[in-house]
Amino acid sequence: MEATIALLLDTANFTLALLLVTLGLVVIFGLMNVINMAHGEFFLIGAYVVVAVSNATGSFWLGLLLAPAALAVVGLLVEWLIIRHIYHRFIDTILATWGLSLVIKQGVVVLFGPGAQSVPNPLPAAVDVLGVHYPAYRLFIMALSAALALATYYLFFRTKLGLQIRGVIANRAMAASLGINTRRIDRATFAVGSALAGFAGAVMAPIMSVDPQMGVGFLIPSFLSVLVGGVNSLVGALIGSGVIGGATTLFSTGISQADAQILVFLLAMIIIRFLPNGITGGRK
């Protein structure tokens, strides 16, 4: 029973962190039809913001607050400098953002070096959860990620801005004809998606090795989550993250990490084969 509870907690921890990255991908692709290959590097920058702030001030919490704000600014700059020029050139967006990801990685190497960085655990204690001593910081990640995911859903389904964003996703031309500034919506949405990825990187920094390649570890599972859950669907992001996150954690308990990844890919391929539009069928 204790092993089962620990496995469930580990699954929830990875799934909720993955959900934050996946939500950003879904929002950006659903609105702009842009596959952001640099999304994993936004996750990476968020982690390095925490490293830099922690080294400079000794405060992890200040870094956690600054990371999403910094990534929102980065998202605005990337959208203005690159993305807005290639909205209607689908392949070019993939190439441009892939090139951006290489630039960001090399920039990180220049600034911080190729070696791994570490961030001290701000909550080193353990909490008793149904007889299992589980790290307090992992529980904090779960609570914070769940709260932020709920806030994202509230933004998109219960606010005027969310209604405008969903209107642009459904029919850009009609939304523009009704007076919605689609360019401003594009900028705001890209900034929100970038901030979510940056926050995920920041909150995961104390329990991961912070290095120039860490973004890939979340980029691939997040893309799989989008495809499995359903493109353009925020609900699909939740379902896809649960499937991919749960399968990754479950498979990793009994076999090597490499074999577990192979099984996760096979599972995703099977789901996409029989449900080409994802589990939600692409409903928005």
Side-chain angles (χ1 to χ4, degrees):
M1 179 60 72
E2 292 181 357
T4 301
I5 293 173
L7 178 61
L8 291 175
L9 289 171
D10 286 341
T11 301
N13 179 263
F14 180 68
T15 298
L16 287 169
L18 178 61
L19 176 61
L20 294 180
V21 186
T22 304
L23 281 174
L25 277 178
V26 168
V27 168
I28 291 172
F29 181 72
L31 178 64
M32 305 176 186
N33 201 30
V34 171
I35 294 181
N36 183 15
M37 299 299 293
H39 205 70
E41 278 57 52
F42 291 169
F43 177 93
L44 168 71
I45 294 175
Y48 272 98
V49 168
V50 170
V51 169
V53 174
S54 296
N55 290 341
T57 67
S59 174
F60 163 79
W61 305 108
L62 179 60
L64 186 63
L65 289 175
L66 291 178
L71 265 297
V73 174
V74 170
L76 288 173
L77 289 174
V78 170
E79 195 278 337
W80 182 66
L81 291 172
I82 300 174
I83 303 299
R84 70 188 179 102
H85 300 290
I86 51 177
Y87 275 135
H88 304 295
R89 292 146 55 189
F90 185 74
I91 300 299
D92 288 353
T93 62
I94 297 176
L95 296 175
T97 54
W98 178 64
L100 177 63
S101 73
L102 298 179
V103 171
I104 291 174
K105 285 180 183 178
Q106 292 306 309
V108 166
V109 171
V110 171
L111 291 174
F112 295 93
Q117 307 281 334
S118 62
V119 177
N121 189 336
L123 297 173
V127 177
D128 186 277
V129 181
L130 300 176
V132 176
H133 291 284
Y134 201 74
Y137 185 70
R138 288 183 179 270
L139 294 174
F140 170 76
I141 291 175
M142 292 161 59
L144 198 59
S145 298
L148 193 56
L150 289 174
T152 302
Y153 280 95
Y154 180 85
L155 171 67
F156 279 90
F157 291 103
R158 292 292 184 271
T159 67
K160 181 179 179 181
L161 175 61
L163 179 62
Q164 292 178 343
I165 291 174
R166 288 186 287 119
V168 174
I169 292 174
N171 192 319
R172 178 178 292 268
M174 180 63 72
S177 69
L178 294 174
I180 296 175
N181 188 332
T182 57
R183 280 289 303 121
R184 185 171 60 187
I185 294 295
D186 287 341
R187 291 193 297 268
T189 304
F190 201 89
V192 169
S194 302
L196 286 172
F199 180 83
V203 80
M204 294 295 288
I207 62 172
M208 293 182 67
S209 173
V210 181
D211 62 72
Q213 303 301 323
M214 70 179 295
V216 178
F218 270 82
L219 178 64
I220 295 174
S222 60
F223 269 118
L224 290 178
S225 299
V226 171
L227 295 174
V228 168
V231 177
N232 294 357
S233 173
L234 292 175
V235 176
L238 175 61
I239 295 174
S241 297
V243 171
I244 298 301
T248 300
T249 306
L250 179 62
F251 293 152
S252 297
T253 58
I255 58 178
S256 68
Q257 187 70 28
D259 292 338
Q261 291 299 317
I262 292 173
L263 291 179
V264 170
F265 272 103
L266 289 175
L267 175 63
M269 290 168 61
I270 292 171
I271 294 175
I272 296 170
R273 168 63 181 83
F274 292 101
L275 299 170
N277 294 321
I279 295 175
T280 62
R283 291 189 294 274
K284 300 182 181 180

